[in-house]
Every structure is written in C-alpha cells, then in structure tokens.
Amino acid sequence: HLQLQESGPGLVKPSETLSLTCTVSGDSIRSTTYYWGWIRQPPGKGLEWIGSVYSTGKTHSSPSLKSRVTISVDTSNNRFSLSLSSVTAADTAVYFCARLSRSLVLVPAATFFDYWGQGALVTVSS
Amino acid sequence: DIQMTQSPSSLSASVGDRVTITCRASQSISSYLNWYQQKSGKAPKLLIYGASSLQSGVPSRFSGSGSGTDFTLTITSLQPEDFATYFCQQSYSTPLFTFGPGTKVDIK
C-alpha cells in the first residue's frame, strides 16, 4: 500500500528557505512509470501545483515559482525534496507531496495525482 | 497559461440530491481534465481522470463528462460523506498543471 509522508520545519522566517522532504513507502521512487510532485494550499484557498521530479532527477516547476524552487530526488532513501527560497508570508500553506501517474485511456497519456501525503503546514513568520 | 474556472463556487444540497459542478478551461484541453474531492483538513482524493474515467474505488454515483473547454462533475445521489470541496485540474499542458478554484458542497 503506497504511502507518502511529508516532513520538515513547520515555521520558517521570512527571506529564508523552506525545505520539505517526502518519504515514499510501498513503492520504489525509482519506478519509471511515475513522476513525484509537490502541491500547496494556502489556508482557506485552492490548490497550486509547485513542481514535479522524475527518478532520474529531471524536474519541472511552475513558471510563477521556478526562480525559487528546487526539487530533488534521493533514490537511495526513497524520498524527494522541495526547497523554496526567499519565502514570504504568501508562502504560508499546507504543502502536499503526491504521485503523478498516467493512463493510456487517452493518447497522449492522461496524467493525474493519484496518491497524496497528508500534508504539512508551513508558516512563514518572524 | 491555461486558466481554470469552476461554478458555482459553493452550493447547498440535501442528501439524495443530484449535484452538478462545472469546470471551464481558458482554451481547449481535449479530455485532459481530472476531478478531486477534498474534505476539511485532508488531502485531495482523485475521483475522475481523463474527464470521464472513474478512479478505482470511487463510487459509481460520481461521473464526469465534457471535452474541449467545458466539463461537468455529477453526483447522482448525494451522500453524507460527499459534503466536501471539489477541484478540477487540467493536465493538457503536462508537465505543467493548473487547478480550478474549487466548489464547496455543503448541507442545505
């Protein structure tokens, strides 16, 4: 049974770097089938995709966050990580990690986030 | 960038009601549209992918339809556990994704 678990500091000071790790259990992050992603949700607001990473380390990031985002993968420990630099109060959110799957119900394949972590609240405050 | 909108932003319904939520894309996204359900304090749960394919384990009272720019999520007979917020998400521009703003379904 696949499980994802976010971990990291719950409080980050403005201008510093937010760092989170997602540990995957029940599946290998080395799988060539999946990407792994980060999504965030400010309190009371909607969902925002941050970026995704493949087992090879190839990444894609939201254009609005790209200059501040680093996503990496650690296949030895079956986990992937997010770093978001120069944070402000606007970066306060619940951060979710998720598995990005695909299905050939459509061609090219349909892609979707099918497994999610429980989420980690990160507050940016001095 | 592909922008997603949803309507209504919220609705009140009773158990047993048929509920319809609409999602619109700013440009054609073919059938690359997913639906998620989120309950308070929980992670989103995938309901529908590829506009109309039901995710494994999701009750058949949930269905999705549409293509191009206009999509619909229908719950045929609302159950108590269905009170939640529903989000659409486009995957046409994979590997870049955008979500709709959400529709909150609460008890009338």
Side-chain angles (χ1 to χ4, degrees):
Chain A
H1 175 63
L2 180 68
Q3 290 186 306
L4 296 89
Q5 178 69 58
E6 305 89 351
S7 59
L11 181 64
V12 180
K13 290 182 169 56
S15 80
E16 295 189 345
T17 296
L18 177 161
S19 296
L20 291 171
T21 295
C22 181
T23 301
V24 178
S25 58
D27 193 9
S28 173
I29 205 167
R30 290 189 179 91
S31 170
T32 58
T33 306
Y34 308 112
Y35 269 76
W36 305 89
W38 289 99
I39 300 102
R40 70 179 182 179
Q41 185 172 38
K45 297 189 178 180
L47 299 164
E48 179 183 22
W49 173 72
I50 300 170
S52 305
V53 64
Y54 195 54
S55 57
T56 58
K58 182 172 183 177
T59 61
H60 302 281
S61 301
S62 169
S64 65
L65 297 170
K66 187 167 187 160
S67 63
R68 300 194 290 131
V69 166
T70 302
I71 299 175
S72 60
V73 64
D74 177 358
T75 54
S76 298
N77 291 294
N78 221 40
R79 63 189 188 189
F80 60 104
S81 299
L82 167 70
S83 292
L84 181 66
S85 64
S86 304
V87 297
T88 70
D91 295 310
T92 293
V94 176
Y95 286 76
F96 296 100
C97 59
R99 187 178 78 172
L100 179 63
S101 291
R102 59 185 179 180
S103 168
L104 290 176
V105 64
L106 298 175
V107 178
T111 54
F112 43 85
F113 295 101
D114 60 348
Y115 284 90
W116 295 65
Q118 65 186 24
L121 174 62
V122 180
T123 301
V124 179
S125 175
S126 55
Chain B
D1 289 11
I2 299 174
Q3 306 301 317
M4 308 300 294
T5 58
Q6 289 182 235
S7 61
S9 57
S10 65
L11 66 90
S12 296
S14 300
V15 172
D17 283 354
R18 179 185 181 92
V19 169
T20 299
I21 298 168
T22 297
C23 176
R24 176 165 289 173
S26 60
Q27 66 181 72
S28 177
I29 57 170
S30 184
S31 295
Y32 292 89
L33 191 283
N34 307 319
W35 288 99
Y36 299 85
Q37 176 194 66
Q38 187 180 34
K39 297 182 180 179
S40 181
K42 301 294 186 183
K45 172 187 174 183
L46 177 68
L47 299 176
I48 302 283
Y49 61 92
S52 60
S53 294
L54 193 68
Q55 171 69 348
S56 176
V58 174
S60 59
R61 64 181 178 273
F62 291 92
S63 64
S65 63
S67 66
T69 60
D70 295 320
F71 301 86
T72 299
L73 174 70
T74 300
I75 310 171
T76 52
S77 178
L78 197 67
Q79 297 301 299
E81 60 268 31
D82 300 337
F83 292 97
T85 300
Y86 294 84
F87 294 93
C88 61
Q89 175 235 327
Q90 67 83 17
S91 63
Y92 179 82
S93 61
T94 296
L96 307 182
F97 306 99
T98 46
F99 290 87
T103 296
K104 184 176 182 180
V105 177
D106 62 21
I107 302 172
K108 182 183 286 184

